[in-house]
Structures are given as structure tokens and as C-alpha cells.
Amino acid sequence: MRHTTRTLLVAAGALLAALVPPAAGGATALAAPLAALAPTPPSPAAVSAQAPGTVVQRGGTLHVPSGEEGSVTTYFGAALPGDATGTVKARLLLSNLDWPPEGSDEHIPSELYHTRWSCSVNGGAFVDCPYGGGGFVLPETQAAPFLTYAVRVDADSGAASNPLLFGSFDVFDTAGRRIATGGAGFEFDLGTPEARHRTVLHARDRSGVLWQYEGTGKAATPFKPRQRVGGGWGGYTALTRLGTPTADGKGDLVARDTDGVLWYYRGSGDPSAPFWPRVRIGGGWNAYTSLTGTSTGLLARDRDGVLWHYRSLYGAPLSAPFAPRARVGGGWNAYTSLTALDGTVLARDTGGVLWAYHPSGSFDPTVPLRPRVRVGGGWNVYTALAGTGDLGFETSHDLLARDRDGVLWAYEGNYFGVPRVPRTAVGRGWNIYDTLL
């Protein structure tokens, strides 16, 4: 069961997000501070009530956020027998793991690869917890009626796939006799994914300012408050991303100006200034009525409805990022909107039916897509569609759709990059933007 305080705060954040429009700073997310979630050392009253020979984990199972939140600490109070003397050793055994045998090249079970453990005793400095005897070994100390051990855990987002670890905390005397024992538990909750795993949405307002919405990794409140990228973007008649931008400042886009010149913006890796200065690709791009970036390159539709594929040349200079165009086929004027979920192209026809063109995997640049598959009707209610990365639904790519009232809806994408129902409302007031990408 997840921590009650965290659940209430996330629910409150979801309520506030529905009430705050983008113009006021985007969706608002609340998070419980880690200090409020971490247990505290045992109190004097708890110490006096604890029977000798027992170890108690203060607050019970420790809830560890798996992501970029940082470390949390749990405390084990060990009440030793009255005859305990000399140096004592402690071990944290996680018994539901398959620990490698002594002398193995493997040091820890694979389930712990996404975690970092450090420990201390009686308020001493934290040190890395070494592996030994089928568990983690804590610093040695002198016997006393009561000892307080601290275990600090930091986990990245990969740890959430193994949500519960449990076992025992044991204290041994110099003869190797166990003189105190008690249960231990660690539950890994889904936290905020690292920036490299979180998506970004860009939106251009009607005055030409480009804004960035950093993803939170939480489906209920998928975006942090917006950040200003810069002005002057109103001079472009088409904007499209190449690949999926991420919250660590990665992700490229191309922009066509009113003269038909195409420009390349390389992702900088700096979230506060996500693009390097633009680089000129070339002129003549006014021949196209639609530009759509995919995982393989750029799709361009001309006025006759012919679709052309410009395959990305990885490692090429930014001024020449694409191979010569290859003809995909005609008839694409049947669509009023083209957007991409990674390699899958979603096309909405004049009747409001949405179609999915999955990537072919072919090395032939003239055949980048498979035959279309019908997704469903009714998509004419939306004035903008934008493919994006994972919004917290635990899929790699999701779809955003804005309706005529300015409400933004999120559709979870399935394994094949096709949006699934039911939709989820993620904000209001999005009519202030003329472009979402």
C-alpha cells in the first residue's frame, strides 16, 4: 500500500491542475517533501518499551520513490541482551532475493542494480553498505543496551519493477551468535522518472513566443508549469520535432520560415535553453503543405497530395541532415492532420477518421510506412493533435488532443503507437496556442 500522505498530496495536485490554465503557469503538481516521508530515529519511549534481543524498523516498511527524488532513510532500533559486550556486527538480509554465492563475479542480485545503499550506526557518518553473507553489512560498533542503525536508499526509476524487498535485520556478537533480530521491509514506489525519461511538450502562442512544458512522469498531472523558450517563433509557417524531446534538453526540431527556408534547431542538453542557434538547411520548402518529423526522418506533403520521405542521415552536418527525397505515394490530401508517435504516423481524414501508419522497418526510403490501420472516428472534434513521449501511462508514446473549448486531452498509446480510450483531461485554456509539438 502506498504512503497515505503521498496519495492525498498527489490527489490534491491533480485537482489544482484541472483549475489552473496554461496562461497562469500550466499544470501544478504537489509532492510530499522527502523529509516528511522518511521515518525518524526511535524515541526514548519506544526504546524503553522494546524487549531485549529484538530489532524494530521505525515506521515499518520504508517507502522508496523510484526516480529522481533522491534518497530516503529508515532506522532500525536494536535492543541488545544485558550480557552483550565487545564489538557487534549487523547485517541486513533481503531474503526474497537470490544472492550470489561468496566469491562470485556478481556482487549483488540483479534486482538491486537500480538502487544505492549506505548505512551508519549511532549517528555516525554514512558509508556504502558492502555485500556479505547474503545481505548488506553495516558498520561495526561497541555493544550497548540500545543501538540505532540507519539505512539510506536511493533508487532510480528502474527499481519500481521490483516493488517489494523484505527480510531481517540481525545483530551478531564477536562469536557470531545472533543476539538481536527483527523484520525489515522496503517498498519501491513509482516516483518521478529521471529527466532523460520524461517527455517535453512545446507550444507556440499567437504572439510568436515558444513555451516548454516539462513532463512530470505522472499521468494525473503530466506537465510542470511552463517555461519560456523565447520569442520570434511567429515567423515560421511550420514547426515539427525530430524524435521525442526529453526534459534533459535533448530533442531536435526543424522550422520553415515565410520565405520557404528550412532551419534546424539542435537540442542543447540544457533544459533552460533547450536549443542551439539555428542552422540553415535550404530553401524551396514552401512547396509543401505539411511537414511531419518521425523517428526515421521528415515526411513532406506537396500541394498535389504526394508524400515525400527525407531520411535522416545520422552524423551528417546540421546543414544537410537528410538524404535526397524519396517518393512515398499520392493521395495524402485526404488528410487534414498528420502527426507522429515516434515512427507511427497518425493521419486524420476529412470525415474525422483517424488512421495509423506503422513504420515498415524497410531500408527502402520509398516505403517507410505499412498500409494504414483504422483507429476510429470522431476525431474532428479536435483542433490540434500532437504526439509526445510517455506522459506517465507507462507507455513509450502518447497522444495529446485539444478540443474547440481549449481542453487538452491525453490518450495513452499502446505498444504499436495507437491511442487508446478512455481519454484523460489534463488541462484547460490551451486555445492560447496556435501550434503544439
Side-chain angles (χ1 to χ4, degrees):
M1 181 178 296
R2 297 185 183 277
H3 197 283
T4 302
T5 301
R6 181 184 306 169
T7 303
L8 292 174
L9 286 172
V10 170
L15 177 62
L16 287 176
L19 301 176
V20 180
T28 300
L30 298 180
L34 291 178
L37 300 177
T40 57
S43 65
V47 171
S48 62
Q50 189 171 329
T54 62
V55 176
V56 174
Q57 184 177 11
R58 177 68 173 173
T61 297
L62 177 68
H63 287 258
V64 183
S66 300
E68 63 177 20
E69 279 85 352
S71 61
V72 289
T73 305
T74 187
Y75 294 90
F76 293 89
L80 303 190
D83 60 351
T85 59
T87 302
V88 295
K89 301 179 180 180
R91 183 189 65 177
L92 171 61
L93 173 63
L94 300 176
S95 56
N96 63 326
L97 299 182
D98 185 16
W99 286 83
E102 295 287 355
S104 170
D105 291 336
E106 298 290 333
H107 299 292
I108 60 174
S110 59
E111 292 89 347
L112 299 179
Y113 287 167
H114 296 280
T115 63
R116 290 154 297 281
W117 301 69
S118 57
C119 47
S120 74
V121 59
N122 289 339
F126 277 87
V127 296
D128 290 339
C129 296
Y131 155 68
F136 289 112
V137 178
L138 280 80
E140 296 181 359
T141 191
Q142 290 296 309
F146 195 89
L147 301 174
T148 299
Y149 293 90
V151 176
R152 180 174 293 167
V153 188
D154 189 5
D156 65 34
S157 54
S161 60
N162 299 289
L164 182 61
L165 303 179
F166 58 85
S168 64
F169 192 101
D170 305 312
V171 181
F172 301 88
D173 62 15
T174 54
R177 180 173 59 99
R178 187 170 64 182
I179 56 176
T181 186
F186 301 85
E187 184 169 355
F188 293 85
D189 303 326
L190 185 63
T192 302
E194 293 79 9
R196 66 183 183 277
H197 296 310
R198 287 185 280 113
T199 191
V200 164
L201 175 69
H202 292 105
R204 183 181 66 183
D205 67 25
R206 301 184 190 283
S207 63
V209 176
L210 190 68
W211 300 88
Q212 175 173 285
Y213 286 86
E214 180 182 329
T216 64
K218 309 290 186 182
T221 54
F223 297 114
K224 294 183 179 182
R226 67 180 188 174
Q227 294 179 315
R228 191 179 193 271
V229 176
W233 291 80
Y236 296 120
T237 58
L239 294 168
T240 187
R241 56 183 175 82
L242 299 174
T244 303
T246 51
D248 60 353
K250 303 293 178 60
D252 307 341
L253 65 81
V254 292
R256 181 188 63 196
D257 66 23
T258 54
D259 295 326
V261 176
L262 194 67
W263 300 87
Y264 198 109
Y265 285 86
R266 167 64 61 85
S268 68
D270 179 1
S272 63
F275 301 111
W276 292 113
R278 67 181 188 176
V279 175
R280 189 181 193 273
I281 296 176
W285 290 81
N286 272 342
Y288 300 116
T289 60
S290 175
L291 298 176
T292 306
T294 75
S295 60
T296 63
L298 186 64
L299 295 173
R301 181 186 62 191
D302 66 23
R303 291 184 174 82
D304 296 324
V306 176
L307 192 68
W308 301 87
H309 181 212
Y310 289 84
R311 182 172 54 86
S312 291
L313 297 175
Y314 297 101
L318 300 186
S319 58
F322 305 117
R325 70 177 190 176
R327 189 180 192 274
V328 177
W332 287 79
N333 275 341
Y335 299 118
T336 60
S337 174
L338 296 174
T339 191
L341 292 184
D342 195 26
T344 296
V345 174
L346 298 176
R348 182 185 62 193
D349 66 24
T350 54
V353 176
L354 193 67
W355 302 86
Y357 288 85
H358 299 304
S360 67
S362 172
F363 291 104
D364 183 351
T366 66
V367 192
L369 304 170
R370 296 181 183 273
R372 69 181 188 176
V373 177
R374 191 180 193 272
V375 176
W379 289 81
N380 271 344
V381 298
Y382 298 119
T383 59
L385 300 174
T388 186
D390 181 12
L391 294 174
F393 295 103
E394 300 184 14
T395 55
S396 58
H397 293 89
D398 303 316
L399 181 68
L400 292 168
R402 182 189 63 196
D403 66 23
R404 293 182 178 86
D405 295 324
V407 178
L408 192 66
W409 300 88
Y411 287 86
E412 178 185 3
N414 66 12
Y415 178 79
F416 300 101
V418 174
R420 298 187 289 193
V421 293
R423 65 185 185 175
T424 301
V426 296
R428 299 180 180 276
W430 289 79
N431 273 340
I432 63 173
Y433 300 118
D434 63 15
T435 302
L436 301 176
L437 69 151

